[in-house]
Amino acid sequence: MSTLDEANRREYYRIDDVIALEISPLSAPDADSGKVLQDASPLFNLLSELHLSEFESQHLLRQISERDRALSSYLKTLNKRVDLLSQIVAQTVLGKIGELQPVKLSESGIEFHYPNAYPPGSHLSVKLVLMPQALGLLLRARVVECQAQEDRYQFVTEFESLTETQRQLLARYILQKQAQARRLARELDEPTTE
């Protein structure tokens, strides 16, 4: 694949978004560990687990749907209730993480502004709350670039040691955001008929 094709592919899977973001440096053992990171906040860990378990059980819901439509409808209703509860937890977590901020997000990394500098090669813990789905992820990242810009620093980071579930959740979120943007663009382009 040519470099131009790779650049276009990266752009396609990259979105501009507004999310809650918290960054902290990782110690050498935590950076090298293959274990899933855990946050000090039980609420954030709960939010993450809610989405991971929902994602991991989707294939079971599809199988049940093929066999028993009534049970499937009931489980989907329960799932909506759990989603609403996760949004409540996310609102609580958002107050502790900080203000929403603009980022560029892809499956492979995140670009953002932050008040503290970390040199390229540093390892970070990146806590994300993606809205409106209230998806909480705690990921490892390596700093690729850090450039001073007025009173903040612009970072380009690359995710490291993502689990397959984390990668798929990120990919699904990005695809949903892109589909939402395309729908909105189509609605704005369509002439109104009255």
Side-chain angles (χ1 to χ4, degrees), residues 7 26 35 62 83 126 145 147 152-154 159 170-171:
L26 281 176
K35 296 180 188 172
R62 281 191 295 273
D83 284 344
V126 180
E145 291 178 33
Q147 297 178 352
R152 300 177 73 84
Y153 296 88
Q154 180 179 358
F159 295 132
L170 265 176

Side-chain angles (χ1 to χ4, degrees), residues 112 118-121 142-147 153-157:
F112 58 92
Y118 298 103
R142 182 180 55 82
V143 176
V144 176
E145 291 178 33
C146 175
Q147 297 178 352
Y153 296 88
Q154 180 179 358
F155 284 88
V156 175
T157 65

Side-chain angles (χ1 to χ4, degrees), residues 133-145:
Q133 290 87 341
L135 173 58
L137 293 170
L138 184 59
L139 308 172
R140 283 182 183 78
R142 182 180 55 82
V143 176
V144 176
E145 291 178 33

Side-chain angles (χ1 to χ4, degrees), residues 9-16 104-106 174 178:
R9 183 173 182 264
R10 277 195 305 271
E11 266 316 301
Y12 181 74
Y13 293 106
R14 181 176 299 150
I15 58 170
D16 291 318
K104 290 186 186 297
L105 180 65
S106 73
I174 290 166
Q178 289 174 329

Side-chain angles (χ1 to χ4, degrees), residues 17 27 31 42-44 50-51 54 63 98 106 110 115 123 125 130 143 150 161 175 186:
D17 203 3
S27 65
L43 280 177
F44 184 82
L50 276 170
H51 281 280
E54 186 265 336
Q63 289 175 355
S106 73
I110 186 169
H123 295 274
S125 164
L130 308 173
V143 176
E150 297 177 16
S161 305
L175 290 173
R186 270 196 314 269

Side-chain angles (χ1 to χ4, degrees), residues 93-108:
V93 168
L94 280 177
K96 296 179 182 182
I97 290 180
E99 296 296 315
L100 296 174
Q101 65 175 296
V103 299
K104 290 186 186 297
L105 180 65
S106 73
E107 285 182 53
S108 61

Side-chain angles (χ1 to χ4, degrees), residues 31-163:
D32 294 334
S33 170
K35 296 180 188 172
V36 173
L37 293 174
Q38 290 293 311
D39 190 64
S41 163
L43 280 177
F44 184 82
N45 290 332
L46 176 62
L47 185 62
S48 295
E49 285 300 316
L50 276 170
H51 281 280
L52 290 174
S53 65
E54 186 265 336
F55 182 78
E56 291 170 348
S57 65
Q58 282 184 343
H59 73 282
L60 295 172
L61 187 56
R62 281 191 295 273
Q63 289 175 355
I64 291 170
S65 180
E66 292 171 2
R67 293 187 194 126
D68 188 339
R69 297 237 185 257
L71 179 59
S72 174
S73 293
Y74 175 72
L75 291 174
K76 286 178 183 177
T77 302
L78 284 179
N79 205 25
K80 278 185 183 178
R81 293 171 75 188
V82 170
D83 284 344
L84 291 171
L85 288 173
S86 71
Q87 289 178 17
I88 292 169
V89 171
Q91 291 303 320
T92 305
V93 168
L94 280 177
K96 296 179 182 182
I97 290 180
E99 296 296 315
L100 296 174
Q101 65 175 296
V103 299
K104 290 186 186 297
L105 180 65
S106 73
E107 285 182 53
S108 61
I110 186 169
E111 186 178 322
F112 58 92
H113 290 87
Y114 210 68
N116 304 330
Y118 298 103
S122 300
H123 295 274
L124 304 174
S125 164
V126 180
K127 186 190 300 188
L128 313 166
V129 179
L130 308 173
M131 300 305 286
Q133 290 87 341
L135 173 58
L137 293 170
L138 184 59
L139 308 172
R140 283 182 183 78
R142 182 180 55 82
V143 176
V144 176
E145 291 178 33
C146 175
Q147 297 178 352
Q149 292 188 340
E150 297 177 16
D151 62 338
R152 300 177 73 84
Y153 296 88
Q154 180 179 358
F155 284 88
V156 175
T157 65
E158 187 175 78
F159 295 132
E160 295 183 315
S161 305
L162 288 178
T163 66

